[in-house]
Amino acid sequence: MIDTFNAADKRTVVAGDSADNIGKIRGFIIDPGANRVEAVHISGRGKNADIVEWGRLRFGGDAVIVDSEDAVERVDEEREVLAVKGKLAIRGSRVLDTAGFELGTVEDVSFDSDTGQLMTVRTTTGEVEAARLCSLGSYALVVDAEE
């Protein structure tokens, strides 16, 4: 099933083993090189943020189910900390191609909710296939130039 970051925002996260509400989606941590979602940010800020790795959750139309409450982890890598602080967030990022041309600003990202694979990046000037993603930094999202 195809979903978008904007549509998934604030979706309730429930532990499958206890049926307890453990938070809401606050953001996504992506691996642009692999074109996929690595983890979902569900609560906290900075070094006190909690995330769930992609392999431990299932997306539904109304909620996200994690296999158990122990799936929730504190961020421990600097890249994760920067992502939950919004310094490596894809939405709102300037998009530059490898030829040096600006392609707008990211408005939303579509992804396969079963695999976490990124599909397209919607910018203020159109869509970019996720297969073109090269890197994401604090200044911009860089994508391969179209030939």
Side-chain angles (χ1 to χ4, degrees), residues 27 35 57-58 76 97 99 117:
N35 298 324
L57 51 82
R58 291 179 309 282
D76 63 354
D97 71 16
Q117 191 70 39

Side-chain angles (χ1 to χ4, degrees), residues 42-65:
I42 61 166
S43 66
R45 297 178 139 172
K47 292 181 180 178
N48 294 319
D50 292 325
I51 62 171
V52 177
E53 289 185 22
W54 186 263
R56 301 210 50 195
L57 51 82
R58 291 179 309 282
F59 267 75
D62 300 313
V64 176
I65 307 296

Side-chain angles (χ1 to χ4, degrees), residues 49-53 56 69-76 80:
D50 292 325
I51 62 171
V52 177
E53 289 185 22
R56 301 210 50 195
E69 287 190 52
D70 70 357
V72 178
E73 301 174 359
R74 190 66 35 116
V75 293
D76 63 354
E80 293 171 342

Side-chain angles (χ1 to χ4, degrees), residues 70-92:
D70 70 357
V72 178
E73 301 174 359
R74 190 66 35 116
V75 293
D76 63 354
E77 295 178 18
E78 185 62 23
R79 197 171 69 69
E80 293 171 342
V81 173
L82 291 173
V84 299
K85 285 183 171 181
K87 296 184 182 197
L88 286 180
I90 192 168
R91 284 181 290 179

Side-chain angles (χ1 to χ4, degrees), residues 8-115:
D9 264 350
K10 310 229 181 336
R11 197 169 292 165
T12 301
V13 181
V14 177
D17 63 344
S18 67
D20 287 337
N21 179 337
I22 57 174
K24 292 192 180 289
I25 293 179
R26 297 182 65 178
F28 294 84
I29 299 172
I30 68 159
D31 178 349
N35 298 324
R36 64 180 301 273
V37 178
E38 273 186 2
V40 175
H41 174 202
I42 61 166
S43 66
R45 297 178 139 172
K47 292 181 180 178
N48 294 319
D50 292 325
I51 62 171
V52 177
E53 289 185 22
W54 186 263
R56 301 210 50 195
L57 51 82
R58 291 179 309 282
F59 267 75
D62 300 313
V64 176
I65 307 296
V66 298
D67 53 15
S68 66
E69 287 190 52
D70 70 357
V72 178
E73 301 174 359
R74 190 66 35 116
V75 293
D76 63 354
E77 295 178 18
E78 185 62 23
R79 197 171 69 69
E80 293 171 342
V81 173
L82 291 173
V84 299
K85 285 183 171 181
K87 296 184 182 197
L88 286 180
I90 192 168
R91 284 181 290 179
S93 290
R94 163 185 273 166
V95 182
L96 298 173
D97 71 16
T98 53
F101 292 97
E102 186 162 343
L103 304 177
T105 302
V106 176
E107 293 181 326
D108 202 1
V109 178
S110 65
F111 65 99
D112 182 319
S113 61
D114 293 326
T115 65

